[in-house]
Amino acid sequence: MLFAILIGFLWACVLVFAGTQLKGRAAILNAIVPVGLFVYFASFIPEVLNNGPILKTYQWVSSMGVDLNFNLDGLSLIFVLMITGIGAMVFIYTSAYMKGSAHLDRFYGYLSMFMASMLGLVLSDNLITVFVFWELTSVVSFFLIGYNSRQEDSRKAALMSLGVTGLGGMLLLGGVILMGSVGGSYSIQELLNSGVVFSESSSYILILFFIIGAAFTKSAQFPFHFWLPLAMKAPTPVSTYLHSATMVKAGIYLLLRLSPLLGNDPSWNNTLMAFGGITMLYGAWHTLFRTDLKSILAYSTISALGILTFLIGIGSEEAFLAALIFILVHALYKATLFLVAGSIDKASGTRDILKLGGLAKYMIPVAIAGFLAAVSNAGMPPSFGFLGKDLIYEATLGTGTMAIFITAAAVITNVLLLYAGFVAGIKPFVGRLPEELVDDVRKLSPVIWLPPLILGVLCLVFGLFPFIGESLVRPAVEAVAGEPYDFHIKLWHGFNIILLLSGITIASGFVLYFLIRPSQKKVDLMEKADFIGPLSFTQLSSIGFERISLMWTRFFTSGYVRYYLIAVMIFVIGVVGYELFIGTHVYMDFATLKEVSFYEMGTILIMILGIGVAVFSPSRLTALAALGVLGYAICIIFVFYGAPDLAMTQFAIDTLTVILFVLVLYRLPKYLKLSDTRSRFRDGVIAISFGLLITLLILEVLGQPVNRELSAYYAENAYLLAKGKNVVNVILVDFRGIDTMVEITVLAISALGVYSLLKLQMQKSDIE
């Protein structure tokens, strides 16, 4: 299972070296990867249906509770089949749709990486690895959405999607860490088996905020929905793959997966129902005011995601069943409609519904695919969408006192979605072809119209044979509901209230379709109201944040090292000094100190004298010599206290420092007073305060009990393990050899930098 996840990343690496050979007609060979993975995961269907989940564990960072645990159960099985199955159609479609693209190999690499990231997300049983793959999907989608990097709109859309979903990633990280802390494990299965009740934890509300916020950003719930229509700037294969079956459903998957742990609580259920209800109505309503095919499909996708969130919020077994069936329904018809929209754009050069019509005779297979998808989207029998819509109504009717209002909202949403589906899937093919397109419609390759036709036919097949969807969904419902649920999906349930609601939905949708015509006036009207939308608020917030960041940077990033040092010292003095002031302290007993000898006192007086000369000398060279005297005096102190090796090291460093300073001073202008009396007084106060603080810290450290276990270990093992009698040298070279090597590397890099600055000869033109 691990290799199945990694193969997408490995294939992307292969494309780096073999990408040029997989362009043109050979590009279709890229579809081997998702097709093979689809067959691989499909082979597990009998085992999952009959024997239950398949668990695989690979050790990773076990000491921190993070392992590569993968769980193929009913829920993850549905998602991996969608990811690989629809992925295979997209890979095939891309080979013809993007034929001639200069960076087709790169595009396929991004698609492969995204497929692998999604597989890792839905298969992971560890919350930390869920987060890792979650972030990978955001990063890779950034490159896919911004694939046309020369277009400013594409770059902005990619940044917006990354910003919103990146925020969700931060929220998810906080949520999973809290869940692991409360539950004592990051394994989802262990949390389920432990019986931990998160709703009883004091952190429950915070966990909900993090998890729900992450899911809402990824699955485009109001008010985070705006990134999805912007992402339609991406090539059509990206829109099909990311925004119908995979990325936008990652948040839905997260809610379903964690429902057994976080659900069955009013805070969870009411939040999902409220935001899901708003999103499904908001998205469906916006489809009335759009004329671009992909824009219509984007807002209808937002509405569908709202329906799924709404159903998960209801939390009943009937609602979970409806949500899981609708996930499959939506993936099939929405992927078909996106591919149809791309085919229309490829053939006619436009996606504007106001300029389209009569295309059926030019692209019959695409027209059939669009019709089948529109019928399933409308929930008309005998399509798969008919089953999904009936199950939605069955779930809403069982919600108790609010059933009437909840069901009415679902009916209104489905009516508007029927309109959107007909506009996108049927309207471009009926009527008369505009005169300006008569000579411009191009013939499509079978590789372009075959994938949408296959998916469109599946919309009908799953409806005619409901046992297919039932067998796939049954273990998924059990995984989400936490217990077995007996149900049977049928195409015909007799005359009942649900059938009546379906009839009302279809009839009202037809009336709406024939009464309301798309127009540019509606688009302009909606654009005038955009200033009060979440997108406008986000853009204004971004501008404000950028301005504040610029002011903050200009204030703190002055370019002068002395101000940075002053800021650091004041902060340390304030924080550490406050702790020293309010804390309980045990200072060392001065009575235990030895008497100070006259030569030690003499050395200290030399140090004080050196400090005074360095501070008040008007000559740089004199000040430098005084600092050298100070360094050598410290070396003598080390000798007094039995550390000759440390003294020699300090002696070498001070000597080298003085020499380097002399070389630098040779390049500098004559001594100038660049600070006034006030600045020097300020610097003196800060320096004395910082020195006093360090002195107090040292005294407190010396007064604390000493644990010499580590010192004893080094002393005992220096010769035994490293064959060295000098313990300090052994520690530096052997026990902490890597640390020492890094320090040497840093010093070498610094020396190279200093040398390059000394040798740099700036030309006048460079300065200007």
Side-chain angles (χ1 to χ4, degrees):
M1 207 174 297
L2 178 61
F3 180 75
I5 295 171
L6 293 178
I7 193 171
F9 299 109
L10 296 174
W11 186 247
C13 295
V14 170
L15 290 175
V16 173
F17 303 99
T20 54
Q21 284 74 35
L22 293 175
K23 291 183 178 181
R25 294 182 178 180
I28 198 171
L29 296 177
N30 286 283
I32 294 175
V33 177
V35 170
L37 289 175
F38 178 79
V39 174
Y40 170 75
F41 285 112
S43 67
F44 288 105
I45 294 176
E47 185 174 353
V48 173
L49 296 184
N50 298 324
N51 303 324
I54 301 172
L55 296 172
K56 296 288 184 181
T57 300
Y58 306 89
Q59 290 187 349
W60 191 21
V61 193
S62 302
S63 60
M64 299 180 65
V66 183
D67 288 319
L68 294 174
N69 300 334
F70 300 109
N71 176 28
L72 183 61
D73 63 354
L75 180 60
S76 55
L77 179 64
I78 288 177
F79 277 87
V80 297
L81 292 177
M82 286 195 307
I83 293 166
T84 55
I86 294 180
M89 297 295 103
V90 170
F91 273 63
I92 294 171
Y93 181 87
T94 300
S95 65
Y97 182 83
M98 300 189 67
K99 183 179 180 181
S101 175
H103 304 294
L104 184 58
D105 51 344
R106 182 190 303 173
F107 186 78
Y108 270 117
Y110 294 151
L111 282 180
S112 298
M113 293 171 64
F114 182 82
M115 177 182 64
S117 302
M118 279 300 305
L119 289 175
L121 172 61
V122 300
L123 288 171
S124 292
D125 182 60
N126 190 285
L127 291 172
I128 299 298
T129 54
V130 166
F131 163 75
V132 171
F133 286 113
W134 179 283
E135 287 296 270
L136 282 174
T137 61
S138 296
V139 172
V140 181
S141 67
F142 166 79
F143 292 107
L144 285 169
I145 294 171
Y147 176 72
N148 297 317
S149 57
R150 295 181 181 274
Q151 299 178 9
E152 183 180 0
D153 290 344
S154 295
R155 298 195 299 270
K156 288 183 177 180
L159 287 171
M160 183 64 73
S161 67
L162 182 64
V164 175
T165 56
L167 171 64
M170 293 177 61
L171 295 175
L172 179 62
L173 179 60
V176 299
I177 290 176
L178 278 177
M179 289 184 68
S181 176
V182 173
S185 174
Y186 291 115
S187 171
I188 298 174
Q189 293 304 309
E190 289 182 9
L191 292 174
L192 289 170
N193 297 331
S194 66
V196 59
V197 181
F198 284 94
S199 58
E200 296 178 357
S201 169
S202 58
S203 303
Y204 179 68
I205 297 300
L206 194 57
I207 291 174
L208 289 193
F209 173 77
F210 286 146
I211 297 298
I212 292 177
F216 281 8
T217 57
K218 202 77 155 186
S219 290
Q221 299 297 295
F222 183 90
F224 304 107
H225 64 280
F226 51 84
W227 71 265
L228 184 56
L230 292 177
M232 292 301 111
K233 298 296 181 181
T236 296
V238 176
S239 303
T240 305
Y241 199 28
L242 273 66
H243 307 140
S244 65
T246 52
M247 180 177 172
V248 293
K249 288 198 172 72
I252 301 300
Y253 169 81
L254 184 70
L255 296 177
L256 287 169
R257 178 60 76 191
L258 299 183
S259 282
L261 294 171
L262 303 177
N264 299 319
D265 186 90
S267 300
W268 170 272
N269 297 103
N270 293 338
T271 302
L272 296 185
M273 288 181 65
F275 282 92
I278 293 172
T279 303
M280 69 183 191
L281 289 169
Y282 180 91
W285 171 254
H286 267 262
T287 60
L288 299 175
F289 301 89
R290 307 295 163 180
T291 58
D292 181 86
L293 286 175
K294 288 179 67 174
S295 182
I296 294 170
L297 296 176
Y299 279 100
S300 64
T301 298
I302 292 172
S303 180
L305 295 170
I307 292 174
L308 290 169
T309 304
F310 183 75
L311 291 171
I312 298 171
I314 293 176
S316 63
E317 293 172 333
E318 294 83 0
F320 288 138
L321 172 61
L324 290 164
I325 288 291
F326 188 65
I327 285 174
L328 293 174
V329 170
H330 177 260
L332 288 175
Y333 79 69
K334 190 53 64 69
T336 305
L337 290 175
F338 267 117
L339 294 180
V340 167
S343 302
I344 293 172
D345 189 16
K346 189 74 172 178
S348 64
T350 181
R351 298 196 308 262
D352 191 347
I353 198 66
L354 301 178
K355 301 177 181 178
L356 294 171
L359 291 173
K361 63 180 180 179
Y362 294 92
M363 47 180 74
I364 295 177
V366 178
I368 294 173
F371 175 79
L372 293 175
V375 167
S376 185
N377 172 81
M380 298 172 62
S383 68
F384 196 26
F386 175 72
L387 299 175
K389 178 168 53 56
D390 281 6
L391 289 172
I392 292 173
Y393 292 155
E394 182 179 352
T396 57
L397 288 172
T399 53
T401 56
M402 299 293 291
I404 296 177
F405 301 101
I406 292 175
T407 305
V411 170
I412 294 172
T413 300
N414 281 320
V415 169
L416 295 172
L417 288 181
L418 185 151
Y419 166 84
F422 274 36
V423 170
I426 295 179
K427 190 177 187 303
F429 303 103
V430 298
R432 180 180 298 178
L433 183 70
E435 294 182 1
E436 59 269 22
L437 295 180
V438 172
D439 298 327
D440 295 335
V441 178
R442 296 183 292 273
K443 185 178 180 180
L444 296 176
S445 165
V447 180
I448 286 185
W449 56 255
L450 187 60
L453 183 61
I454 292 174
L455 293 173
V457 170
L458 288 178
C459 292
L460 183 62
V461 171
F462 273 68
L464 292 173
F465 304 99
F467 67 88
I468 301 176
E470 178 183 322
S471 60
L472 288 175
V473 167
R474 185 176 297 278
V477 175
E478 181 177 344
V480 177
E483 57 185 8
Y485 174 51
D486 187 28
F487 63 90
H488 296 284
I489 301 176
K490 297 180 181 179
L491 192 61
W492 175 252
H493 287 274
F495 294 98
N496 51 29
I497 185 65
I498 296 175
L499 182 64
L500 176 62
L501 291 174
S502 293
I504 293 173
T505 301
I506 296 171
S508 302
F510 269 99
V511 171
L512 191 67
Y513 173 71
F514 287 109
L515 287 181
I516 297 181
R517 299 291 182 183
S519 67
Q520 188 60 40
K521 290 183 179 180
K522 294 186 178 69
V523 177
D524 296 337
L525 179 64
M526 186 57 64
E527 289 179 350
K528 291 180 180 179
D530 284 345
F531 73 95
I532 60 174
L535 175 59
S536 178
F537 173 77
T538 302
Q539 290 173 334
L540 291 175
S541 300
S542 177
I543 294 173
F545 182 79
E546 185 177 352
R547 290 177 178 175
I548 293 173
S549 300
L550 183 60
M551 293 173 56
W552 183 274
T553 302
R554 286 177 175 175
F555 180 78
F556 285 100
T557 311
S558 60
Y560 294 98
V561 177
R562 59 178 178 271
Y563 292 140
Y564 300 153
L565 291 175
I566 289 173
V568 171
M569 288 184 176
I570 291 177
F571 179 79
V572 173
I573 292 170
V575 174
V576 181
Y578 175 76
E579 177 61 27
L580 286 175
F581 179 76
I582 66 171
T584 303
H585 311 289
V586 180
Y587 295 113
M588 66 175 298
D589 185 5
F590 289 94
T592 62
L593 297 178
K594 296 180 180 180
E595 294 183 359
V596 179
S597 61
F598 73 93
Y599 47 82
E600 291 174 342
M601 182 60 69
T603 304
I604 293 174
L605 290 176
I606 292 174
M607 292 172 60
I608 295 174
L609 181 62
I611 293 172
V613 173
V615 171
F616 296 104
S617 174
S619 169
R620 283 200 187 99
L621 192 59
T622 304
L624 182 59
L627 288 177
V629 171
L630 175 63
Y632 291 154
I634 295 175
C635 295
I636 296 174
I637 294 294
F638 289 152
V639 173
F640 290 159
Y641 286 92
D645 52 347
L646 188 58
M648 290 302 298
T649 303
Q650 181 73 20
F651 178 81
I653 291 175
D654 276 315
T655 302
L656 181 61
T657 302
V658 171
I659 294 174
L660 288 175
F661 267 120
V662 170
L663 293 175
V664 172
L665 290 177
Y666 178 75
R667 296 275 183 170
L668 293 177
K670 292 183 178 181
Y671 191 88
L672 297 174
K673 285 188 177 181
L674 300 177
S675 60
D676 54 19
T677 303
R678 180 190 299 179
S679 299
R680 291 195 293 273
F681 178 78
R682 174 203 64 199
D683 296 342
V685 171
I686 294 174
I688 293 172
S689 301
F690 191 76
L692 180 61
L693 175 68
I694 298 300
T695 303
L696 292 175
L697 284 175
I698 292 173
L699 292 175
E700 181 163 354
V701 170
L702 292 175
Q704 299 295 327
V706 179
N707 184 348
R708 301 189 180 277
E709 181 179 350
L710 187 60
S711 301
Y713 172 82
Y714 284 139
E716 293 171 1
N717 293 279
Y719 185 76
L720 294 177
L721 298 179
K723 307 304 179 184
K725 295 182 179 180
N726 189 310
V727 178
V728 175
N729 290 347
V730 170
I731 291 173
L732 293 175
V733 176
D734 293 280
F735 291 111
R736 293 178 52 195
I738 299 297
D739 186 22
T740 304
M741 184 182 69
V742 172
E743 291 177 356
I744 294 172
T745 304
V746 171
L747 289 174
I749 294 173
S750 301
L752 290 174
V754 172
Y755 179 77
S756 63
L757 290 174
L758 291 174
K759 299 296 291 183
L760 180 64
Q761 298 293 330
M762 296 291 290
Q763 300 294 330
K764 184 176 181 181
S765 59
D766 297 331
I767 299 175
E768 294 175 352

